[in-house]
Structures are given as structure tokens and as C-alpha cells.
């Protein structure tokens, strides 16, 4: 999972903090990566063509077997949607 975050955006900051406060699963279920878009612009720019997902911020991408199986941005980022993808 990649959480794309712009540290200079108030909305992105709000969503990032809500996400951190509500996450209730661990890295043993999913590898969670945080991407600071400003510090890592080259990586951010590579995501759109590689995964065919339009750039947004904040944005979450869940990748399985090199394919995006879920993505969402802004207020559509929900822990419950991610948990549905985890093995039971």
C-alpha cells in the first residue's frame, strides 16, 4: 500500500492524520509505504504511468502482484475499504 501525501496541503495533512489515528491493522497484513510527494517527486511522477492511476493527493494505492487492486483519494480514503482486501 502506498499513501501519497503532500506535506504542504492542509487537506492532505488532515486525511493523513485521520488515517493514522484510525488504522487498526499491522504491517504483518500489508506493507505500508508513505510517500512524501514533495521530497520524492521523481517517484510520485513514476506512479501514474506505471500503475495507470491518475495522480491525486492525498491518495492511497493498494497494489497486489504489481497491479492496483484499490485506489482512492481525499475523503474516499477509508480503512474499511482496505480491510476488505486483507486475508481473513
Amino acid at each position: 500500500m502506498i499513501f501519497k501525501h503532500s506535506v504542504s496541503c492542509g487537506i492532505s495533512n488532515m486525511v493523513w492524520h485521520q488515517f493514522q489515528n484510525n488504522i487498526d491493522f499491522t504491517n504483518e497484513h500489508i506493507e505500508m509505504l508513505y510517500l512524501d510527494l514533495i521530497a520524492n517527486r521523481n517517484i510520485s511522477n513514476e506512479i501514474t504511468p506505471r500503475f495507470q492511476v491518475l495522480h491525486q493527493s492525498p491518495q492511497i494505492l493498494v497494489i497486489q502482484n504489481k497491479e492496483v487492486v484499490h485506489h482512492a483519494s481525499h475523503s474516499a480514503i477509508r480503512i474499511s475499504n482496505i480491510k476488505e482486501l486483507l486475508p481473513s
Side-chain angles (χ1 to χ4, degrees), residues 11-14 21 27 40 44 60 74 83:
I11 293 171
S12 192
N13 280 318
M14 179 187 67
N21 289 335
N27 279 4
N40 299 285
S44 175
I60 198 155
H74 297 81
K83 286 177 71 172

Side-chain angles (χ1 to χ4, degrees), residues 29 44 52 58:
H29 297 112
S44 175
Q52 299 297 304

